[in-house]
Amino acid sequence: MSEVLVCLKDIHFAYNRELVLEDIDLHIERGSYLGLLGPNGSGKSTLLKIILGLIKPQKGEVELFGQPQNKFKDHFKIGYVPQKATQIQSQFPISVEEVISLTAVSKKAAHQALTKVGMYSHRTRLITELSGGEQQRVFIAKALAASPEILLLDEPTVGIDNESQKDFYSLLRELNKEGLTIVIVSHDTEDIIKEVSRVVCVNRRLVCHVSPKEFIEGHFQDELYGDDRKKIIHHHSHA
Amino acid sequence: MNMKKLLAALFIVAILAVAAVIIFRQKISPSKNSQNSSKILVTSTIYPLSQLATHTGGDLITSKTIVPSGVEPHDFDPKPQDLVDVFESKVFIHSGTALEPWVEKIRADLESRGVVMVDASKGLNLIKGNDGVDPHYWLDPVLFQQSAITVRNALLAADPSRSSDYKLNSDKFIAKLIELDNAYKKKLFSCNQDTVVVSHNVLAYLANRYKFKVRSITGLSPNEEATSQSIADTVELLKTNNIRFVLAESLMPSKYADTLAKEAAVKTLLFNPLEGLTKEEVQQNADYFSVQYFNINTLATALECLKS
Amino acid sequence: MSCTATIGKKLFIITVMLDIFNYSFMVRAFAAGLVIGTIAPLIGTFLVARRFSLIADTLGHVSLAGIALGLLLHVNPIITAMMASILIALVVDKIRQNKIVSGESALAMLLSGGLALAIVLVGLARGFNVDLFSYLFGSITTIRSEDLMIILPVGIAVAITILVFYKQLLYISFDEDGARVSGVNVNALNMMLMILTAITVSLSIRIIGSLLIGALLVIPVTSASQISRNFKQSIILSIIFSLVSVTIGLFISFYANLPAGGTVVLISLVIFIFSYLFRILKLA
């Protein structure tokens, strides 16, 4: 039985009197590669933020590495790659290596993280001069520079071109092989189910927690997306 | 690499700018360099005080007024070259009231430079009201004689080589002040009205000395906004006493006098509280005395005094 | 670089010979100007990065109310200004956290509120020694030694604090969520940044006036970000630009008898134009 890194018990969260998440129980085991799926507004990003401690649920408990969230001190163990939309304003002058230095414990760690994502040669460039895919790699490197044990990514493929997406997924595969636990929130169902080892579906409630094969074969997609499913699948095949 | 070039360029521009300003400067501050080394420089904060200097020192001194005519002394903030003038002077005359808030701030500097600070109100009992000390004492020719003596003593101490000249001028000056006092008394001796209505309260000392009453719409500071109550009360007074004239100050906009003039069928007369000179007065080579004689006429008209 | 050494030497000689420095008030003005010229862009860098530049003007107007209060109570106005702006800075931080009203409208209301309060207090203070104008527009000629005794040590303290917390401040300015996840005490740092801004604004009012204070915190920073290649460079460059503006501004203000606040800001705008052109032309 693998070590449980993240444990969510009975999570409820409401925003402006609207229930966003209800009755969520979830264990994330070390070494897993988990896809968090759901339609827009399903609460999946919110769930990620609750794990990260950015949002406090009204009800329920979060345990990180066996400790209650408010007592958890080893922040470096958790790596976070935010959604691209929350990105940098134009003309915020910060270079790639300065971004990495925010989390890196040493120059060596920074060097290694940048090399891992293939951005070492770009370290003196301004982050605003990079393409979407390059920026994302920098953010991944920033998360890696602290030597995390779990990496959480929020909609990482939004606005990334296909070529970069392929590289991105192969990087994640490599990291997971090396032992990094990964949780990835995405609405890119088709691509995700090809990469992850577990699928968690959220649409206000926990709809499924299965292997990708079971996800495809089960009727989870209907329950998850309702009529949107057909639209989404068609959209992806034309993407 | 490009950064360094830009920096170097900026640096050079900065140095050139400084150099240009230094060269430029030689042409824009003649007073310092052309100061005749034998005449002492006397600076005064406001116009009436510089009159003390001019009437006592005459051509034997260089006199400078710091607050320009038309600028409200209360709001005046000295520019760097103004302070340079004060710092370079031997004697610096100020009113000793809250009219020049910047004076206290430079006292320590002036003392360490050996500039003699002269308080023109020394020895005078100033009128204190709700708004603070009334600074307009220079309008009272009797009080001003004391100021003249104070300034004379300062000049004697600062420039002993010319003491006989200063003494002579000062005596003449004081004689003229006595003459002025007599003229006031005579002209305002017998009047039909006992109250003068004026925009802001510049007349307290004259009213005290020459026994008439003053109603002012605002207090001591011309920057105050008058309350509508105050204006209403004043209109009431104008009508009750059948007052036909209202006084406005020559260098200030006359909005309250104008308001009153519309409400109560009165005429506006100009009065110069001597904080500065108007352009016309400058062209006419006016001085303390010519303006005061003008003021006497204004007051005589406002109080409807009988010609004597 | 022996080139810079000889330029430096010549500058030193010129400086000593110029009589601008014979006058104690100008020496004090330069001392205050150099301190403020250093900490203003230092703080401003973080404010601009977080799109919070308006806070400087807001606190400037609020400081006016603090100054009016100080003049009314015969307390050193700089101290009451600091207290008022620190108070409002904390209020703004709370509002921002709880999202009661949008940050922008909150600032706009506080800006006019502060000014309105100042006007009323000045009205109450009529007859007292009200030299409010010099606080609106700045007055380098009346900086006293007592003012320097506050400006110098407090300014140095502000600079040291920012250097000590540099990395965390950069983190929360760049990626507040990421900082929170990394365990940075975001709320405490935000509060600290607000307090430091309030202090910097209050200190700067003497020289540059409360109307223009926003300019000194923002313009050199924007100029620097046109051409810097990283954050550290941006800070250093913005300080250089600011110091150049202050120095040239004070020189011109002295020799040409012009108001220092306006001159300094105009020069910093000229520098901005140059750096903007430099960026545009470099791309061509």
Side-chain angles (χ1 to χ4, degrees):
Chain A
M1 185 61 181
S2 267
E3 182 193 348
V4 170
L5 299 188
V6 176
C7 180
L8 299 175
K9 280 192 204 131
D10 198 28
I11 299 289
H12 282 246
F13 180 72
Y15 184 69
N16 276 350
R17 296 190 189 184
E18 216 187 285
L19 205 54
V20 178
L21 288 171
E22 198 180 9
D23 272 342
I24 306 284
D25 288 302
L26 183 63
H27 285 202
I28 302 179
E29 290 171 1
R30 184 184 289 281
S32 53
Y33 189 165
L34 198 131
L36 198 51
L37 302 180
N40 282 337
S42 57
K44 55 189 194 298
S45 282
T46 309
L47 190 60
L48 196 75
K49 291 190 177 153
I50 287 177
I51 297 175
L52 290 163
L54 293 173
I55 294 180
K56 296 266 181 299
Q58 276 90 10
K59 215 171 101 172
E61 287 153 33
V62 179
E63 265 182 26
L64 301 169
F65 293 83
Q67 287 187 310
Q69 193 171 43
N70 53 8
K71 294 226 168 47
F72 180 70
K73 293 278 180 254
D74 299 326
H75 299 278
F76 67 90
K77 288 189 181 171
I78 301 184
Y80 173 43
V81 179
Q83 202 167 19
K84 186 167 177 287
T86 66
Q87 245 25 296
I88 320 124
Q89 316 99 342
S90 59
Q91 291 181 17
F92 187 140
I94 185 169
S95 68
V96 168
E97 53 187 350
E98 282 178 328
V99 172
I100 307 299
S101 72
L102 296 174
T103 47
V105 287
S106 64
K107 279 214 143 189
K108 189 159 157 240
H111 184 134
Q112 280 176 346
L114 279 173
T115 314
K116 190 94 193 158
V117 302
M119 289 297 288
Y120 185 70
S121 51
H122 297 271
R123 66 192 180 285
T124 57
R125 290 184 64 194
L126 280 175
I127 198 148
T128 45
E129 286 173 2
L130 302 178
S131 71
E134 290 171 326
Q135 282 181 357
Q136 186 207 57
R137 283 193 270 161
V138 171
F139 270 87
I140 295 175
K142 169 174 163 286
L144 292 178
S147 304
E149 296 179 28
I150 179 171
L151 185 66
L152 297 111
L153 304 104
D154 194 351
E155 302 279 7
T157 52
V158 169
I160 311 286
D161 63 279
N162 280 342
E163 200 47 48
S164 306
Q165 278 188 29
K166 289 208 194 101
D167 294 330
F168 164 74
Y169 283 123
S170 72
L171 173 64
L172 288 192
R173 247 177 274 139
E174 199 184 313
L175 290 169
N176 184 242
K177 259 203 208 108
E178 290 167 3
L180 185 63
T181 312
I182 300 183
V183 176
I184 177 166
V185 164
S186 183
H187 65 263
D188 233 343
T189 317
E190 297 291 298
D191 289 332
I192 287 293
I193 56 183
K194 293 188 201 132
E195 301 289 328
V196 301
S197 59
R198 294 296 282 168
V199 173
V200 171
C201 328
V202 173
N203 194 351
R204 209 165 75 216
R205 303 172 143 269
L206 206 60
V207 172
C208 73
H209 186 165
V210 295
S211 72
K213 187 154 172 281
E214 288 164 345
F215 178 77
I216 299 170
E217 288 166 359
H219 296 291
F220 296 111
Q221 290 194 71
D222 289 329
E223 200 183 329
L224 195 57
Y225 292 98
D227 288 322
D228 293 338
R229 177 179 69 110
K230 295 205 178 95
K231 293 184 207 154
I232 288 170
I233 291 178
H234 280 138
H235 171 79
H236 278 291
S237 59
H238 288 303
Chain B
M1 176 220 51
N2 278 324
M3 270 276 299
K4 282 192 187 148
K5 276 196 199 147
L6 176 72
L7 277 182
L10 262 183
F11 205 51
I12 292 169
V13 167
I15 295 176
L16 287 178
V18 167
V21 159
I22 297 170
I23 298 167
F24 185 50
R25 172 222 160 202
Q26 300 295 347
K27 303 188 181 148
I28 56 170
S29 59
S31 56
K32 257 184 88 264
N33 297 328
S34 66
Q35 184 180 331
N36 193 326
S37 52
S38 58
K39 284 197 212 175
I40 63 166
L41 175 62
V42 178
T43 49
S44 314
T45 51
I46 50 178
Y47 174 74
L49 304 181
S50 70
Q51 285 288 286
L52 291 169
T54 327
H55 283 279
T56 316
D59 288 331
L60 304 168
I61 61 162
T62 312
S63 168
K64 270 194 150 215
T65 316
I66 302 296
V67 179
S69 285
V71 174
E72 177 50 41
H74 209 227
D75 301 329
F76 176 76
D77 186 45
K79 302 211 193 83
Q81 292 299 327
D82 296 330
L83 279 195
V84 167
D85 288 334
V86 175
F87 275 48
E88 294 296 323
S89 61
K90 270 213 117 163
V91 176
F92 172 58
I93 309 173
H94 63 100
S95 76
T97 66
L99 203 58
E100 311 106 319
W102 48 278
V103 169
E104 278 316 302
K105 294 186 188 161
I106 58 173
R107 179 179 288 275
D109 287 331
L110 291 181
E111 276 165 16
S112 62
R113 277 184 86 100
V115 178
V116 176
M117 288 178 72
V118 178
D119 177 353
S121 71
K122 183 167 148 204
L124 298 179
N125 277 333
L126 300 182
I127 298 176
K128 288 186 184 49
N130 293 335
D131 296 347
V133 173
D134 185 335
H136 304 94
Y137 57 84
W138 54 80
L139 286 170
D140 180 340
V142 175
L143 293 181
F144 214 37
Q145 289 168 40
Q146 180 60 50
S147 307
I149 295 173
T150 307
V151 168
R152 182 194 72 192
N153 292 343
L155 285 183
L156 290 178
D159 189 14
S161 62
R162 295 190 174 91
S163 16
S164 43
D165 296 299
Y166 293 145
K167 277 205 196 115
L168 202 65
N169 290 337
S170 180
D171 290 339
K172 282 193 203 149
F173 182 42
I174 291 179
K176 285 177 85 172
L177 285 172
I178 296 174
E179 215 182 289
L180 179 63
D181 176 40
N182 287 336
Y184 261 109
K185 282 199 192 107
K186 220 171 131 193
K187 270 279 178 108
L188 302 183
F189 182 63
S190 169
C191 311
N192 283 336
Q193 295 285 357
D194 65 351
T195 309
V196 175
V197 174
V198 66
S199 278
H200 88 275
N201 189 7
V202 296
L203 293 178
Y205 289 94
L206 286 174
N208 251 9
R209 174 80 48 201
Y210 303 114
K211 314 279 185 263
F212 57 88
K213 294 195 224 155
V214 177
R215 156 81 74 164
S216 69
I217 305 166
T218 63
L220 287 175
S221 164
N223 282 346
E224 274 173 56
E225 292 296 307
T227 60
S228 27
Q229 184 65 46
S230 169
I231 296 185
D233 289 343
T234 312
V235 172
E236 200 42 50
L237 178 70
L238 290 171
K239 293 195 174 136
T240 315
N241 287 18
N242 208 7
I243 299 177
R244 297 198 292 140
F245 299 98
V246 163
L247 261 51
E249 296 103 54
S250 16
L251 286 170
M252 298 288 147
S254 58
K255 54 181 180 181
Y256 293 125
D258 292 340
T259 310
L260 289 177
K262 290 200 195 97
E263 293 293 317
V266 291
K267 271 187 70 184
T268 309
L269 297 174
L270 281 184
F271 179 90
N272 188 342
L274 270 167
E275 281 171 29
L277 293 180
T278 62
K279 284 206 195 84
E280 294 81 26
E281 283 163 344
V282 170
Q283 277 167 352
Q284 293 156 9
N285 280 331
D287 73 340
Y288 176 82
F289 292 102
S290 61
V291 174
Q292 281 279 48
Y293 282 105
F294 170 81
N295 284 341
I296 295 179
N297 281 339
T298 302
L299 283 173
T301 312
L303 287 168
E304 297 182 43
C305 300
L306 306 171
K307 303 245 194 275
S308 50
Chain C
M1 295 261 296
S2 61
C3 194
T4 18
T6 29
I7 293 179
K9 248 186 255 167
K10 286 195 186 128
L11 253 187
F12 181 68
I13 297 172
I14 294 175
T15 310
V16 168
M17 280 185 353
L18 284 176
D19 29 318
I20 183 174
F21 297 113
N22 275 350
Y23 301 104
S24 45
F25 65 92
M26 284 314 290
V27 173
R28 290 196 295 266
F30 269 96
L34 289 180
V35 169
I36 287 161
T38 306
I39 63 174
L42 201 52
I43 293 265
T45 303
F46 295 101
L47 294 178
V48 170
R50 322 188 70 196
R51 290 256 165 90
F52 225 36
S53 334
L54 203 58
I55 189 78
D57 288 284
T58 306
L59 291 178
H61 286 62
V62 163
S63 294
L64 261 184
I67 284 172
L69 193 65
L71 292 173
L72 196 62
L73 301 175
H74 295 293
V75 175
N76 188 335
I78 299 211
I79 305 230
T80 43
M82 256 196 266
M83 283 166 36
S85 39
I86 289 179
L87 179 67
I88 295 300
L90 294 175
V91 166
V92 169
D93 194 43
K94 257 280 171 285
I95 293 179
R96 208 181 57 94
Q97 265 181 47
N98 298 338
K99 302 192 166 79
I100 300 175
V101 289
S102 93
E104 229 183 342
S105 4
L107 287 178
M109 290 197 297
L110 287 167
L111 194 137
S112 12
L115 194 55
L117 185 61
I119 293 175
V120 167
L121 285 174
V122 169
L124 281 176
R126 71 191 160 96
F128 287 82
N129 199 348
V130 181
D131 49 343
L132 204 68
F133 274 46
S134 70
Y135 288 103
L136 272 173
F137 302 112
S139 161
I140 58 167
T141 50
T142 52
I143 297 183
R144 306 163 303 171
S145 306
E146 296 89 73
D147 296 329
L148 271 189
M149 287 202 278
I150 299 179
I151 293 178
L152 257 56
V154 174
I156 292 176
V158 168
I160 291 181
T161 309
I162 295 188
L163 286 177
V164 166
F165 290 97
Y166 171 77
K167 193 157 132 180
Q168 287 117 304
L169 286 171
L170 176 54
Y171 206 163
I172 63 172
S173 305
F174 176 65
D175 177 11
E176 194 175 284
D177 279 342
R180 218 182 278 273
V181 170
S182 294
V184 175
N185 190 342
V186 174
N187 293 342
L189 277 172
N190 271 332
M191 212 161 61
M192 187 187 82
L193 189 62
M194 286 290 99
I195 293 179
L196 289 176
T197 307
I199 293 176
T200 305
V201 165
S202 308
L203 289 184
S204 312
I205 288 190
R206 272 327 240 125
I207 288 215
I208 222 182
S210 68
L211 288 183
L212 284 176
I213 185 56
L216 198 60
L217 268 88
V218 169
I219 298 180
V221 173
T222 331
S223 306
S225 67
Q226 301 294 311
I227 55 180
S228 17
R229 304 297 305 159
N230 61 58
F231 198 73
K232 203 182 269 176
Q233 223 177 58
S234 170
I235 288 190
I236 294 176
L237 208 53
S238 65
I239 293 180
I240 292 179
F241 286 161
S242 166
L243 289 179
V244 166
S245 308
V246 168
T247 308
I248 299 184
L250 285 177
F251 265 96
I252 294 183
S253 165
F254 178 77
Y255 284 111
N257 236 8
L258 295 172
T263 332
V264 168
V265 172
L266 285 177
I267 293 181
S268 66
L269 281 171
V270 167
I271 293 181
F272 170 77
I273 292 174
F274 272 110
S275 102
Y276 176 75
L277 288 175
F278 193 82
R279 177 172 79 99
I280 298 292
L281 294 173
K282 224 172 65 131
L283 296 170

